[in-house]
Amino acid sequence: TTFSVSPTRIDLKASMTSSLITVVNTGVAAARFQVSAYAWDQSVDGSMRLEETRAIVFYPPLVEIGPGDSKRIRVGTTLPFGRLEQTFRLFVEELPNNVEQAPELGVHVRARMGIPIFVGGVASPPAAILEDVTVADGHVSLRLRNAGSVHLGPPSVLVTGLSASNTVVFEQQIPAWYLLAQHALSLSADVDCARCAGVSQLQIVARFEGGFAATSR
């Protein structure tokens, strides 16, 4: 990419109703950028569902930045701050240059960067639950549910096969993403069956930001 954005996430609360993001043009030519916002929901497979929204306000919506320069964009919300956190994504997208690009320079790929926005929510003890764990034919599947009022940071999910003497036979990492409040993720992984012969029990641990962990045996 030819630009960077910081910070990489925004938290809006009654005590901080707006925030500033900084867009830096790291390229060698002036560039234009467009800002847009969407309501962010999450499918059970972790994919994003985005819908246009007016609940997130920002200014300016278009910026032109010289090479090596930066500009700030203020971001806020029109929503009341409720107990249940609401989630959005702010996108900063590079626009085509006004000068037509020469064909011999090839295709110019425009970069787009998304920033999560978390609005409101009352922090409470994390409430992640591991459920519906199944193991069949070398395939592990599970559901990770967030019963709390705020999101949980990207979890690190580790599946460990233990022998009867609690010796580690294998370990398998399952990639995951943000777990939004009152949402669930279905996760799965394939395990080499050749390594399963000595396994008498399976341990699954999902670790989140802040040190919280949910465990299933």
Side-chain angles (χ1 to χ4, degrees):
T1 62
T2 58
F3 71 99
S4 64
V5 178
S6 64
T8 55
R9 60 174 278 174
I10 297 173
D11 293 276
L12 298 178
K13 299 185 180 296
S15 58
M16 190 178 73
T17 59
S18 68
S19 181
L20 287 170
I21 65 169
T22 301
V23 182
V24 180
N25 180 2
T26 58
V28 296
R32 299 182 302 140
F33 301 91
Q34 173 180 280
V35 184
S36 57
Y38 296 85
W40 167 28
D41 199 4
Q42 186 178 58
S43 300
V44 71
D45 65 358
S47 59
M48 286 194 299
R49 297 200 299 259
L50 300 175
E51 292 186 5
E52 291 186 2
T53 182
R54 294 185 178 180
I56 298 298
V57 292
F58 45 84
Y59 185 83
L62 292 167
V63 293
E64 183 168 353
I65 308 175
D69 290 339
S70 65
K71 285 192 177 177
R72 288 183 170 183
I73 297 169
R74 183 166 292 278
V75 182
T77 183
T78 60
L79 290 174
F81 296 99
R83 181 176 183 81
L84 182 65
E85 182 181 75
Q86 300 188 65
T87 51
F88 302 86
R89 304 282 293 189
L90 186 81
F91 288 93
V92 179
E93 182 176 11
E94 183 182 6
L95 294 176
N97 290 328
N98 292 321
V99 179
E100 185 175 346
Q101 183 174 334
E104 61 269 18
L105 296 179
V107 177
H108 177 63
V109 179
R110 298 195 301 273
R112 187 180 191 226
M113 189 173 298
I115 303 167
I117 302 176
F118 302 103
V119 176
V122 176
S124 57
I129 304 166
L130 278 167
E131 56 189 16
D132 298 337
V133 178
T134 60
V135 183
D137 300 324
H139 188 78
V140 179
S141 62
L142 60 104
R143 185 178 295 248
L144 187 57
R145 182 178 300 280
N146 180 3
S149 57
V150 297
H151 75 280
L152 294 171
S156 170
V157 182
L158 183 65
V159 179
T160 304
L162 301 173
S163 68
S165 60
N166 280 334
T167 301
V168 175
V169 178
F170 74 85
E171 289 184 331
Q172 175 74 43
Q173 197 83 27
I174 303 180
W177 202 40
Y178 281 108
L179 181 54
L180 303 186
Q182 299 296 310
H183 282 66
L185 288 174
S186 291
L187 304 173
S188 62
D190 291 321
V191 177
D192 185 358
C193 290
R195 298 188 294 165
C196 297
V199 174
S200 63
Q201 60 177 315
L202 205 64
Q203 175 181 278
I204 302 174
V205 180
R207 300 188 185 278
F208 297 88
E209 293 175 345
F212 170 72
T215 303
S216 174
R217 280 185 180 267

